[in-house]
Amino acid sequence: MTKILMIMTSLLLLTACSTSSSDDNGGQEVQQPSMLSVYVSSPLQQTLTRADVGEIDAIGDESKVVSMQIWIYENKSGRKVGHLKTTETVTLNMSSGAVYQIPVDDAFAKNKPNVDVYVVANVTNANCGVEEDALSEASSWDKVQEKAKIDEAHFGLTTPPTTEVPTDGLPMSGILEDQPIAGDAPVLRVGTTSQIAYVPLTRAVSKIRFVFANTAGTSDALSITDITLSDGMIPKEEYLFPNSQQPNYNSEPASLLSTDIDPVKCTANPATYVYNGETQTAQQYEELIATGISSEELSPVGPYYLRESNKRLEGTITYKVGNGIAQTATFRMSETGDFKRNHSWIVYAYYEGLSGMQVVTVDVLDWVPTTGSHIVHNW
């Protein structure tokens, strides 16, 4: 009897403890804070949005989101509504997108003004030159526009240029402006009642790859001794969000090649690896090039990850045939603006003997988030 009584007494004490918070609030139920849900679209999503060759799959960690910050501002006043800094990106990396919840105050939950949403991913000091406190919860709308950028020392024409995805990932950004708020406190979301608004994460850099081939049966070996990008091609810094800053560009030609390619691989028919838009998609061409590299018929260089540019990129390839003198061939993009952020550019050059070096460039729109529908789990 004594043991049973002691157990019952303990249960009563536990019950009293569990209800003390309600008693402290006069029996009133504690109001939960209002949460604003923001849907962020994964950079894995793609679509073709202009008349380029097409879209291609990302390779390796090119789509990986390591860290992310989200800012919400009232569209008219610029008042900060909320902020989130997170490394919880597993869902985002494994699906079409993820939902993130940000607490908001009662005044916002009641009035529900339209908002601007700013998102950066993988933007750190190590891979963008952004100081730790430059982008934080305290950052105003103006500061986010000013400080969210890639500086001159990252993803530029430094020696050596970036040829691998950094540990912190490729920098990305996304923006939505003048978006309505749906729902009622404490459950709100960016978008309308019928349509979720999502922030499409887009890589802030683009990439160049070079592929070379020599014709089998020619008497002389082919070597590539330099790849040079002309002056005035790549801006010295890149802002992740639109603003009025005018970029300055590299003032001198820049060499991309750190080691000679000697000798270049040989293939029986180099023209096999020229892009054919009538029979190939961009992805099929990527796979063809990958097959040529794995079968040791092509010599690859890159990719080089560089800040975006609105210029028509061009440069020169310096090569030697046997023990001959150095010769050059020019490469050039098809159109101005083809190296905007999130683009991929392939330069394929092959030697045909008497015909000399043939250079073919392929510009594709890569990695762009889709504007179609998304499946949102746990909404």
Side-chain angles (χ1 to χ4, degrees):
M1 291 293 293
T2 302
K3 291 182 179 180
I4 295 174
L5 181 60
M6 289 176 64
I7 293 171
M8 291 179 65
T9 303
S10 299
L11 288 172
L12 287 171
L13 287 171
L14 287 171
T15 303
C17 290
S18 66
T19 58
S20 61
S21 60
S22 296
D23 292 340
D24 292 342
N25 290 280
Q28 297 289 327
E29 187 175 327
V30 178
Q31 183 178 357
Q32 297 297 316
S34 294
M35 304 296 288
L36 177 63
S37 292
V38 179
Y39 181 69
V40 179
S41 170
S42 165
L44 288 169
Q45 297 303 300
Q46 305 165 347
T47 193
L48 182 63
T49 59
R50 52 172 288 174
D52 289 72
V53 171
E55 68 272 11
I56 60 173
D57 294 338
I59 301 172
D61 288 336
E62 289 177 343
S63 292
K64 187 174 182 179
V65 178
V66 179
S67 62
M68 187 167 59
Q69 288 197 71
I70 303 173
W71 292 268
I72 312 290
Y73 301 99
E74 289 186 8
N75 173 256
K76 298 298 184 183
S77 67
R79 184 181 79 89
K80 183 161 65 67
V81 172
H83 169 266
L84 176 68
K85 184 176 182 179
T86 183
T87 56
E88 296 295 330
T89 58
V90 174
T91 301
L92 186 61
N93 288 324
M94 296 180 63
S95 61
S96 62
V99 176
Y100 293 90
Q101 293 189 317
I102 300 175
V104 295
D105 60 34
D106 292 341
F108 176 83
K110 178 181 178 181
N111 297 318
K112 296 188 286 188
N114 284 15
V115 298
D116 298 335
V117 184
Y118 289 80
V119 180
V120 296
N122 305 336
V123 176
T124 65
N125 181 259
N127 72 347
C128 291
V130 176
E131 295 296 335
E132 186 68 26
D133 59 351
L135 293 174
S136 65
E137 183 177 4
S139 297
S140 66
W141 182 86
D142 291 333
K143 284 297 181 183
V144 170
Q145 285 196 326
E146 176 189 348
K147 299 296 184 181
K149 64 181 180 180
I150 306 172
D151 72 5
E152 188 172 1
H154 299 83
F155 298 101
L157 299 175
T158 53
T159 304
T162 303
T163 56
E164 295 182 353
V165 176
T167 302
D168 287 350
L170 295 176
M172 308 175 190
S173 65
I175 182 173
L176 288 177
E177 295 180 297
D178 202 13
Q179 295 295 305
I181 302 299
D184 294 297
V187 182
L188 305 168
R189 76 179 186 197
V190 179
T192 65
T193 303
S194 59
Q195 181 65 52
I196 299 169
Y198 67 93
V199 187
L201 274 182
T202 303
R203 294 165 195 80
V205 297
S206 289
K207 66 178 179 179
I208 302 176
R209 292 194 300 147
F210 294 85
V211 186
F212 299 99
N214 192 10
T215 301
T218 56
S219 57
D220 295 314
L222 172 69
S223 62
I224 307 298
T225 60
D226 200 9
I227 301 172
T228 303
L229 200 61
S230 301
D231 60 295
M233 296 288 104
I234 301 297
K236 292 186 177 180
E237 59 183 7
E238 175 188 343
Y239 289 88
L240 302 186
F241 299 113
N243 60 39
S244 59
Q245 298 290 334
Q246 296 299 315
N248 295 313
Y249 293 83
N250 61 300
S251 57
E252 297 180 353
S255 176
L256 298 176
L257 191 63
S258 57
T259 304
D260 291 359
I261 307 171
D262 187 17
V264 171
K265 304 288 186 183
C266 291
T267 182
N269 184 11
T272 301
Y273 295 100
V274 175
Y275 175 72
N276 186 337
E278 296 182 359
T279 61
Q280 292 172 316
T281 65
Q283 184 58 39
Q284 287 171 338
Y285 184 63
E286 284 279 323
E287 293 167 0
L288 175 66
I289 293 296
T291 299
I293 293 170
S294 62
S295 63
E296 298 193 350
E297 289 193 335
L298 301 175
S299 296
V301 180
Y304 299 101
Y305 299 100
L306 299 173
R307 294 184 293 270
E308 71 169 338
S309 175
N310 61 4
K311 301 292 186 176
R312 185 184 182 188
L313 266 60
E314 62 180 39
T316 57
I317 298 166
T318 304
Y319 65 97
K320 288 184 178 181
V321 180
N323 296 318
I325 63 172
Q327 303 179 64
T328 60
T330 301
F331 60 89
R332 182 179 292 110
M333 299 200 85
S334 298
E335 301 290 342
T336 298
D338 276 353
F339 204 65
K340 292 189 303 183
R341 70 181 60 187
N342 217 34
H343 279 60
S344 177
W345 188 28
I346 298 174
V347 178
Y348 173 47
Y350 60 98
Y351 185 70
E352 277 193 327
L354 294 177
S355 298
M357 181 72 82
Q358 307 297 310
V359 180
V360 181
T361 62
V362 181
D363 312 322
V364 300
L365 192 63
D366 182 13
W367 309 322
V368 177
T370 181
T371 54
S373 60
H374 292 260
I375 298 174
V376 183
H377 301 283
N378 302 320
W379 176 251

